[in-house]
Amino acid sequence: MLNLERLRTLDALARHGSVSGAAAGLHVTTSAVSQQMTKLEREVGQQLLAKNGRGVRLTDAGRLLADHAARILSQVELAQSDLEQQRGKAVGELRVAAFPTAMRGLLPAALSSLRARHPGLSVAAHEREPEQAVRGVVRGDLDLAVVLDWYNKPLPLPDGLLKAPVLDDPADVAMPAAHPMADRPEVDLEDFAEDEWITWAEGEFCHEWLMFTLRAKGFEPRIAHRAEEHHTQLALVAAGLGVCVAPRLGRDPMPTGVRTVPVRQRVRRHVYVVWRADADRRPSIRAAVEALRVAGAGLG
């Protein structure tokens, strides 16, 4: 009989294309992936992996079994959904991820509501950036992910995922209190063409959005500092080291010496929750989505 965890390892290899990628996706060591694949090859009596330079590739038998593995894992998900639906209660375990400001500003209220309304449901929350969280949902490492995109730059989603809106999160420009624009009721992004900017890490979705948006305003921003956390960015602003875009979700408390001013042409993030289509019938998924949407509405 084929071992489900070994099939999950093969599926991860097929998805990621490397042992290291599969290990990262499954949160195990590369040696653990290799051991699982050795055991799976012994079970099926065929070679599933072949050397390819310094890496590996799936053999014909490996690709054939990987296709079956994807369908088997999907059927397991459907079976779990049907069993949970038959019970009619949100019970069991739920793995949820959210980006940092949602983890701070949205999840506490949603998870508190879930615990009160569904005491048989155990929720484990993880802080992850949107692209990482989406990959986790696709792989099956996560059941739900709270993710974001920007009003002018959508986040690509793979096939097989469903999503529901949670809230629209306005963003302002944060600047030192002594900045010439600090007392204005509204500003334009191009007003800060000569300022130094504080942004996210190179390659991050939000950094790419900022560069795309500011360049569309007709100027090349001068990037002075990079910080992944919004509160770290705001601390740099408070020290007079530049300006940044500051979404409102999870922003408080604001550091002393920072002013935030709305943007005339509204800048906003779309916050939504995603899950696998084959898990849509699970009462726990539906309960969590509803709790997130209620919590989001309470922030509006």
Side-chain angles (χ1 to χ4, degrees), residues 23-57:
L26 295 170
H27 304 288
V28 298
T29 63
T30 54
S31 62
V33 170
S34 299
Q35 290 169 15
Q36 290 283 59
M37 291 304 301
T38 299
K39 291 177 181 177
L40 184 58
E41 287 182 326
R42 191 179 304 130
E43 285 177 354
V44 301
Q46 295 190 63
Q47 184 180 358
L48 302 176
L49 295 179
K51 289 185 178 180
N52 184 29
R54 295 185 177 181
V56 296
R57 61 172 177 81

Coordinates of all heavy atoms in Angstrom, one line a residue, residues 23-57:
A23 N 11.9 20.2 0.4 CA 12.1 20.3 1.9 C 11.7 21.6 2.5 O 11.0 21.6 3.6 CB 13.6 20.1 2.1
A24 N 11.9 22.7 1.8 CA 11.5 24.0 2.4 C 9.9 24.0 2.4 O 9.4 24.5 3.4 CB 12.0 25.1 1.5
G25 N 9.3 23.5 1.4 CA 7.8 23.5 1.3 C 7.2 22.7 2.4 O 6.1 23.0 2.9
L26 N 7.8 21.5 2.7 CA 7.3 20.6 3.7 C 7.8 20.9 5.1 O 7.4 20.2 6.0 CB 7.7 19.2 3.3 CG 7.0 18.7 2.0 CD1 7.7 17.3 1.6 CD2 5.5 18.5 2.1
H27 N 8.7 21.8 5.2 CA 9.3 22.2 6.5 C 10.1 21.0 7.1 O 9.9 20.7 8.3 CB 8.3 22.7 7.5 CG 7.6 23.9 6.9 ND1 8.1 25.2 6.8 CD2 6.3 24.0 6.4 CE1 7.3 26.0 6.3 NE2 6.1 25.3 6.0
V28 N 10.8 20.3 6.3 CA 11.7 19.2 6.7 C 13.1 19.3 6.2 O 13.3 20.3 5.4 CB 11.1 17.8 6.3 CG1 9.7 17.6 6.9 CG2 11.0 17.7 4.8
T29 N 14.0 18.5 6.5 CA 15.3 18.5 6.0 C 15.4 17.9 4.6 O 14.5 17.1 4.2 CB 16.3 17.8 6.9 OG1 16.0 16.4 7.0 CG2 16.3 18.4 8.3
T30 N 16.4 18.2 3.9 CA 16.6 17.6 2.6 C 16.8 16.1 2.7 O 16.4 15.3 1.9 CB 17.8 18.2 1.8 OG1 19.0 18.2 2.6 CG2 17.5 19.7 1.4
S31 N 17.5 15.7 3.8 CA 17.8 14.2 4.0 C 16.5 13.5 4.3 O 16.3 12.4 3.9 CB 18.7 14.0 5.2 OG 18.2 14.5 6.4
A32 N 15.5 14.2 5.0 CA 14.2 13.5 5.2 C 13.5 13.3 3.9 O 12.8 12.3 3.7 CB 13.4 14.4 6.1
V33 N 13.6 14.3 3.0 CA 12.9 14.1 1.6 C 13.6 12.9 0.9 O 12.9 12.1 0.3 CB 13.1 15.4 0.8 CG1 12.7 15.2 -0.6 CG2 12.2 16.5 1.4
S34 N 14.9 12.9 0.9 CA 15.6 11.8 0.2 C 15.2 10.4 0.8 O 15.0 9.5 0.1 CB 17.1 12.0 0.3 OG 17.5 13.2 -0.3
Q35 N 15.1 10.4 2.2 CA 14.8 9.1 2.8 C 13.4 8.7 2.4 O 13.1 7.5 2.1 CB 14.9 9.3 4.3 CG 16.3 9.4 4.8 CD 16.4 9.8 6.3 OE1 15.4 9.7 7.0 NE2 17.5 10.2 6.7
Q36 N 12.4 9.6 2.4 CA 11.1 9.3 2.0 C 11.0 8.8 0.6 O 10.3 7.9 0.3 CB 10.1 10.5 2.2 CG 9.9 10.9 3.6 CD 8.9 10.0 4.3 OE1 9.0 8.8 4.4 NE2 7.7 10.6 4.7
M37 N 11.8 9.4 -0.3 CA 11.8 9.0 -1.7 C 12.4 7.6 -1.9 O 12.0 6.8 -2.7 CB 12.5 10.0 -2.6 CG 11.7 11.4 -2.7 SD 10.0 11.1 -3.3 CE 10.3 10.3 -4.9
T38 N 13.4 7.3 -1.1 CA 14.1 6.0 -1.2 C 13.1 4.9 -0.7 O 13.0 3.9 -1.4 CB 15.3 6.0 -0.3 OG1 16.3 6.9 -0.7 CG2 16.0 4.6 -0.3
K39 N 12.3 5.2 0.3 CA 11.3 4.3 0.8 C 10.2 4.1 -0.2 O 9.7 3.0 -0.5 CB 10.8 4.7 2.1 CG 11.8 4.6 3.3 CD 11.2 5.2 4.6 CE 12.2 5.1 5.7 NZ 11.7 5.7 6.9
L40 N 9.8 5.2 -0.9 CA 8.7 5.1 -1.9 C 9.2 4.3 -3.1 O 8.4 3.5 -3.6 CB 8.3 6.5 -2.3 CG 7.1 6.6 -3.2 CD1 5.9 6.0 -2.7 CD2 6.8 8.1 -3.6
E41 N 10.4 4.5 -3.5 CA 11.0 3.7 -4.6 C 11.0 2.2 -4.3 O 10.7 1.4 -5.1 CB 12.4 4.2 -5.0 CG 12.4 5.5 -5.7 CD 13.8 6.0 -6.1 OE1 14.7 5.7 -5.4 OE2 13.9 6.6 -7.1
R42 N 11.3 1.9 -3.0 CA 11.3 0.5 -2.6 C 9.9 0.0 -2.6 O 9.7 -1.2 -3.0 CB 11.9 0.4 -1.2 CG 12.2 -1.0 -0.7 CD 12.8 -1.0 0.6 NE 14.0 -0.1 0.7 CZ 14.2 0.8 1.6 NH1 13.3 1.0 2.5 NH2 15.3 1.5 1.6
E43 N 8.9 0.8 -2.2 CA 7.5 0.4 -2.2 C 7.0 0.0 -3.6 O 6.3 -0.9 -3.8 CB 6.6 1.4 -1.5 CG 6.7 1.5 0.0 CD 5.9 2.6 0.5 OE1 5.3 3.4 -0.2 OE2 5.8 2.7 1.8
V44 N 7.3 0.9 -4.6 CA 6.7 0.7 -5.9 C 7.6 -0.1 -6.8 O 7.2 -0.6 -7.9 CB 6.5 2.1 -6.6 CG1 5.5 2.9 -5.8 CG2 7.8 2.9 -6.8
G45 N 8.9 -0.4 -6.4 CA 9.8 -1.2 -7.1 C 10.3 -0.6 -8.4 O 10.7 -1.3 -9.4
Q46 N 10.3 0.7 -8.5 CA 10.7 1.5 -9.7 C 11.5 2.7 -9.3 O 11.3 3.2 -8.2 CB 9.6 1.9 -10.6 CG 8.8 0.7 -11.2 CD 7.8 1.2 -12.3 OE1 8.3 1.8 -13.3 NE2 6.6 1.0 -12.0
Q47 N 12.4 3.1 -10.1 CA 13.2 4.3 -9.9 C 12.3 5.5 -10.2 O 11.7 5.6 -11.3 CB 14.4 4.4 -10.8 CG 15.3 5.6 -10.5 CD 16.6 5.6 -11.4 OE1 16.8 4.7 -12.1 NE2 17.4 6.6 -11.2
L48 N 12.2 6.4 -9.2 CA 11.3 7.6 -9.4 C 12.1 8.9 -9.6 O 11.6 9.9 -10.2 CB 10.4 7.8 -8.2 CG 9.5 6.6 -7.8 CD1 8.8 6.9 -6.5 CD2 8.6 6.3 -8.9
L49 N 13.4 8.9 -9.2 CA 14.3 10.1 -9.4 C 15.5 9.7 -10.1 O 16.0 8.6 -10.0 CB 14.6 10.6 -8.0 CG 13.6 11.2 -7.1 CD1 14.2 11.8 -5.8 CD2 12.9 12.4 -7.9
A50 N 16.0 10.6 -10.9 CA 17.3 10.4 -11.6 C 18.1 11.6 -11.5 O 17.6 12.7 -11.3 CB 17.0 10.1 -13.1
K51 N 19.4 11.5 -11.5 CA 20.3 12.6 -11.3 C 20.2 13.5 -12.5 O 20.1 13.0 -13.7 CB 21.8 12.1 -11.1 CG 22.0 11.5 -9.8 CD 23.5 11.2 -9.6 CE 23.8 10.6 -8.2 NZ 25.2 10.3 -8.0
N52 N 20.3 14.8 -12.3 CA 20.2 15.8 -13.4 C 21.2 16.9 -13.0 O 20.8 17.9 -12.3 CB 18.8 16.3 -13.5 CG 18.6 17.3 -14.7 OD1 19.4 17.2 -15.7 ND2 17.7 18.2 -14.6
G53 N 22.4 16.8 -13.5 CA 23.5 17.7 -13.0 C 23.7 17.6 -11.5 O 23.9 16.5 -11.0
R54 N 23.6 18.7 -10.8 CA 23.8 18.6 -9.4 C 22.4 18.4 -8.7 O 22.4 18.2 -7.5 CB 24.3 19.9 -8.9 CG 25.8 20.2 -9.3 CD 26.3 21.5 -8.7 NE 27.7 21.7 -9.1 CZ 28.4 22.7 -8.6 NH1 27.9 23.6 -7.8 NH2 29.7 22.9 -9.0
G55 N 21.3 18.3 -9.4 CA 20.0 18.1 -8.8 C 19.5 16.8 -9.3 O 20.2 15.8 -9.6
V56 N 18.1 16.7 -9.2 CA 17.4 15.5 -9.6 C 16.3 15.8 -10.5 O 15.8 17.0 -10.5 CB 16.9 14.7 -8.4 CG1 18.1 14.2 -7.5 CG2 16.0 15.5 -7.6
R57 N 15.8 14.9 -11.2 CA 14.5 15.0 -12.0 C 13.7 13.8 -11.8 O 14.2 12.7 -11.4 CB 14.9 15.2 -13.5 CG 15.6 14.0 -14.1 CD 15.7 14.2 -15.6 NE 16.5 13.1 -16.2 CZ 16.0 11.9 -16.4 NH1 14.7 11.6 -16.2 NH2 16.7 10.9 -16.9

